[in-house]
Amino acid sequence: MDHVLACASSLVSCQKVFEAPLPNSLFAIKQGLKMYIIEDKGGAIALMLASLLFLGTWPAVLTLLERRGRLPQHTYLDYSITNLLAAVLIALTIGQLGESKPSMPNFFTQLSQDNWPSVLFAMAGGVVLSIGNLSTQYAWAYVGLSVTEVISSSMVVVIGTTLNYFLDNRINRADILFPGVACFLVAVILGSAVHASNATDNEEKLNVSTNSYKLGTSGSVEPSKEVTEKDANKDLENGASPNKYATKAEAGTAEYLIELEERRSIKVFGSSTFIGLGIVFFSGVCFSLFSPAFNLATNDQWHTLKEGVPHLVVYTAFFYFSISCFVIGVGLNILFLYRPMAGVPKSSFKAYLNDWEGRQWALLAGFLCGFGNGFQFMGGQAAGYAAADAVQALPLVSTFWGILLFGEYRKSSRKTYILLGFMLFMFVVAVAVLMASSGHRSTK
């Protein structure tokens, strides 16, 4: 009995301790401990700028690996792992901070709620994004990093941003938003002109080259039969890298272009221009739909949730979004290991596991894309998804990496440089105007 009384006395003492007033500092922490949601315009713009940097950088990393000869299937499988891991980290950290409230439950609470209509919208967004990303991995080889990003981003602005403007109940200022869209369209025209001018420059370089490559009737360049047969018979069962990425030619020369073709994993010489452009436009349509789908998942504009069920918090929606993105990306690329497309050599899952060359860069690209998308959605939840689509100015960043890493536009004509300068200027104007259009979403 004495032991029971002692335990009861201890419990009473503990109760008094917990009921005692908290020191000011601890009270402030307790009051401030809630789920971290961006609600101010300044924070939203900061997130969008970080997203712009990340989303403009990861394509350059994957392009670098393809140019070094790593198979795109191997690269995308590695990328998919860390892309999902980024979403899990965001959900388990920022999405789980603080108390769960009825109107804003935390991550684990929402997993058990009846919110499947919103979950399906989020997963649909992940499906189209994964297909779009997978398509652009091949488009970068056919069309080039800068032009691919320009065309696909412009389609996102024209289609996706317009849809988000109406889904967001027009919280963005139309008198600023749509001039920003027009700036993107001007940049697209300039980007197309840059591509045409640079292609002409490259064709002139190859015309005067003394190598064994010759120009085809369509103006594209075809490799010699000996090189084609050598590439067709590559054996990748042991996961060995098929090409060495060391080059002796100076960037911008015809010799450099020929060495790049021999080294890279996706052969583009002799291919039709329409194949590359078709892939780019297909990916642009996919990219245009993923942000509106995510918007519907977090804000339920179509009222698909039952009464009393809270909207998906952005972190929970991003988790489901990334799950579907991972499943589609991994499933398709395992298929492509054994049934490759675009003339890529056949591989195997064993070859993928043994291919460690460049794996760290593919994993880094997945983190950059995952956190970039997460920051875009967090900023869009606060300032409107139409304004968050300002991150589609990512070709500004991709072009910088293309020039710095790959020597794009090196030794080009003065006309190409002038057009390139105007294109980059218009992208700066476009992203500034779209961010200026951001409004403030009501949290009620």
Side-chain angles (χ1 to χ4, degrees), residues 432-443:
V433 172
L434 259 69
M435 285 188 170
S437 76
S438 61
H440 184 274
R441 189 186 303 279
S442 174
T443 57

Side-chain angles (χ1 to χ4, degrees), residues 10 28 45 47 86 91 158 162 167 209 269 280 303 318 327 337 379 384 396:
S10 299
I45 290 178
L47 282 176
V158 174
T162 302
L167 287 175
S209 174
F269 279 8
V280 173
H303 308 291
F318 185 47
V327 171
L337 287 174
L396 180 68

Side-chain angles (χ1 to χ4, degrees), residues 49-119:
L49 286 173
S51 177
L52 173 63
L53 176 62
F54 290 173
L55 294 179
T57 299
W58 77 266
V61 177
L62 295 195
T63 300
L64 177 64
L65 292 175
E66 186 276 323
R67 287 180 170 225
R68 288 182 171 184
R70 195 166 197 254
L71 292 185
Q73 309 98 304
H74 295 186
T75 298
Y76 203 91
L77 286 170
D78 288 334
Y79 153 90
S80 298
I81 294 172
T82 47
N83 187 56
L84 174 63
L85 183 57
V88 173
L89 290 175
I90 290 175
L92 294 181
T93 54
I94 305 176
Q96 191 60 24
L97 287 175
E99 297 181 23
S100 181
K101 298 181 179 180
S103 61
M104 193 177 293
N106 60 28
F107 172 65
F108 284 123
T109 302
Q110 284 213 306
L111 292 180
S112 61
Q113 293 179 338
D114 186 13
N115 47 28
W116 278 105
S118 293
V119 169

Side-chain angles (χ1 to χ4, degrees), residues 170-212:
R170 306 182 184 186
I171 69 172
N172 301 96
R173 294 182 56 184
D175 57 331
I176 299 179
L177 176 65
F178 289 106
V181 173
C183 289
F184 270 108
L185 291 176
V186 172
V188 169
I189 297 172
L190 290 172
S192 301
V194 169
H195 175 58
S197 179
N198 191 58
T200 301
D201 295 340
N202 288 340
E203 187 173 323
E204 291 177 356
K205 296 172 188 176
L206 291 165
N207 273 329
V208 299
S209 174
T210 58
N211 283 275
S212 60

Side-chain angles (χ1 to χ4, degrees), residues 83-340:
N83 187 56
L84 174 63
L85 183 57
V88 173
L89 290 175
I90 290 175
L92 294 181
T93 54
I94 305 176
Q96 191 60 24
L97 287 175
E99 297 181 23
S100 181
K101 298 181 179 180
S103 61
M104 193 177 293
N106 60 28
F107 172 65
F108 284 123
T109 302
Q110 284 213 306
L111 292 180
S112 61
Q113 293 179 338
D114 186 13
N115 47 28
W116 278 105
S118 293
V119 169
L120 291 177
F121 277 123
M123 297 185 77
V127 169
V128 293
L129 177 67
S130 183
I131 295 174
N133 283 339
L134 183 58
S135 301
T136 54
Q137 191 177 17
Y138 292 87
W140 295 326
Y142 282 101
V143 183
L145 179 63
S146 301
V147 175
T148 297
E149 297 302 314
V150 165
I151 295 176
S152 60
S153 294
S154 70
M155 295 182 67
V156 171
V157 171
V158 174
I159 302 174
T161 301
T162 302
L163 291 175
N164 278 324
Y165 172 72
F166 290 103
L167 287 175
D168 283 337
N169 197 26
R170 306 182 184 186
I171 69 172
N172 301 96
R173 294 182 56 184
D175 57 331
I176 299 179
L177 176 65
F178 289 106
V181 173
C183 289
F184 270 108
L185 291 176
V186 172
V188 169
I189 297 172
L190 290 172
S192 301
V194 169
H195 175 58
S197 179
N198 191 58
T200 301
D201 295 340
N202 288 340
E203 187 173 323
E204 291 177 356
K205 296 172 188 176
L206 291 165
N207 273 329
V208 299
S209 174
T210 58
N211 283 275
S212 60
Y213 286 73
K214 62 181 183 296
L215 286 175
T217 55
S218 63
S220 58
V221 183
E222 299 175 352
S224 63
K225 181 179 180 182
E226 178 183 354
V227 174
T228 303
E229 290 178 350
K230 179 182 70 175
D231 292 330
N233 295 323
K234 292 187 185 299
D235 181 11
L236 299 173
E237 287 303 314
N238 295 322
S241 176
N243 296 301
K244 298 296 182 183
Y245 48 80
T247 179
K248 298 179 180 178
E250 184 181 0
T253 63
E255 289 75 17
Y256 175 84
L257 297 175
I258 294 170
E259 284 188 10
L260 174 61
E261 177 68 9
E262 293 177 343
R263 189 172 66 243
R264 72 189 318 162
S265 59
I266 303 176
K267 307 301 180 184
V268 299
F269 279 8
S271 61
S272 171
T273 304
F274 294 104
I275 294 177
L277 290 177
I279 297 174
V280 173
F281 281 107
F282 173 75
S283 65
V285 173
C286 293
F287 290 146
S288 300
L289 299 176
F290 86 85
S291 181
F294 195 92
N295 194 350
L296 286 167
T298 55
N299 295 300
D300 192 33
Q301 291 92 335
W302 292 352
H303 308 291
T304 57
L305 292 175
K306 295 179 181 179
E307 185 176 354
V309 177
H311 295 173
L312 278 187
V313 176
V314 63
Y315 312 112
T316 309
F318 185 47
F319 172 76
Y320 284 115
F321 173 94
S322 299
I323 286 288
S324 63
C325 195
F326 174 81
V327 171
I328 294 296
V330 169
L332 288 177
N333 277 279
I334 290 178
L335 174 64
F336 292 157
L337 287 174
Y338 300 94
R339 295 186 178 181

